[in-house]
Amino acid sequence: GVGLALTEYLVTAYQARVVLLSRSPLADEEDQVQARVANCNKNGGQVFHFTADILDREKMGTLIEEITQTIGPIKGVFHGAGILKDGLIKDKTLEDFNRVVSVKRDGALSLCSALQGTKLDFIVFFSSMVSLFGNAGQSGYVSANAFLDSLGCANPVQAKKSLTIAWSFWKVGMGRGLEKLARRKGYRSMEPERAIAALNKALCSDY
């Protein structure tokens, strides 16, 4: 998905040490995740993977401390967590709505709480264009991304740079196979290379 594409770029361009955090073990299906991670480790970088529930603030605090002590100081963070559970409001339960919102909103707040006192060069929250234009059946997802738009502006961890990017569809991850839908809505799906170039431009901007 998006996280793996970004990891491959960071390793190739900067020989970076990258920590991946997910709720479950890395899948090894059509993306060939395990092979791609192994390839990153052969190309001068280091990729580490941890499983944790980002909503568990105590666990996140312990994990950030463990990463800092065993791998080294954390210099930059990308928050890209998110899930979908689409449905019209009349058919949606409050539990469904809150689950979608919680992963982005509460997950981001949990991460920021764990990062307090960390001297970050940057933190970037991955949002979506739906926070600006809306999308039928995605009330929870729209709300969650709108929260991230504001959170990035607030710079909750006092990083040197804090921003949120409201992305169009990437052609990987949740956006895979949605090119026709994107065109129908007036969006343009983005190849990972193009998206990462835009990300670099945003990080280098004066904003």
Side-chain angles (χ1 to χ4, degrees):
V2 171
L4 186 55
L6 183 55
T7 296
E8 289 175 324
Y9 166 75
L10 292 171
V11 166
T12 301
Y14 302 105
Q15 290 73 56
R17 286 178 293 176
V18 180
V19 174
L20 298 173
L21 173 64
S22 63
R23 295 184 299 273
S24 55
L26 293 176
D28 197 12
E29 300 172 354
E30 57 187 293
D31 282 337
Q32 298 181 316
V33 176
Q34 300 291 351
R36 289 168 68 183
V37 168
N39 191 53
C40 286
N41 288 327
K42 292 177 182 177
N43 287 338
Q46 289 180 289
V47 180
F48 306 86
H49 178 252
F50 294 86
T51 56
D53 181 0
I54 195 173
L55 301 179
D56 186 335
R57 292 200 178 199
E58 183 176 352
K59 173 65 176 178
M60 285 302 299
T62 301
L63 181 57
I64 294 298
E65 184 177 346
E66 178 185 348
I67 291 170
T68 302
Q69 291 178 351
T70 59
I71 300 175
I74 300 171
K75 294 300 185 181
V77 173
F78 298 98
H79 175 274
I83 60 171
L84 293 174
K85 195 167 182 62
D86 295 352
L88 299 178
I89 290 178
K90 67 182 182 65
D91 302 321
K92 193 185 294 287
T93 66
L94 183 59
E95 180 182 1
D96 289 340
F97 179 89
N98 285 337
R99 184 163 175 255
V100 173
V101 171
S102 181
V103 170
K104 281 188 174 287
R105 180 197 64 195
D106 299 339
L109 291 176
S110 173
L111 178 62
C112 289
S113 176
L115 289 167
Q116 291 301 317
T118 304
K119 296 180 179 179
L120 295 178
D121 290 332
F122 64 85
I123 185 167
V124 182
F125 301 96
F126 280 22
S127 175
S128 166
M129 288 176 68
V130 299
S131 67
L132 303 173
F133 303 115
N135 194 32
Q138 292 192 325
S139 55
Y141 195 64
V142 170
S143 300
N145 284 294
F147 177 83
L148 289 186
D149 293 346
S150 298
L151 187 65
C153 293
N155 194 2
V157 293
Q158 301 302 304
K160 292 180 181 178
K161 192 172 201 63
S162 173
L163 71 153
T164 301
I165 300 177
W167 291 107
S168 180
F169 297 101
W170 287 47
K171 290 186 178 180
V172 294
M174 287 192 292
R176 179 189 284 116
L178 298 179
E179 290 87 350
K180 290 182 179 179
L181 176 63
R183 287 197 299 270
R184 194 161 63 242
K185 291 182 172 294
Y187 305 156
R188 180 178 295 178
S189 294
M190 305 179 74
E191 295 287 353
E193 295 81 7
R194 183 177 181 184
I196 290 170
L199 172 62
N200 268 327
K201 189 172 182 179
L203 281 169
C204 294
S205 71
D206 293 330
Y207 176 75

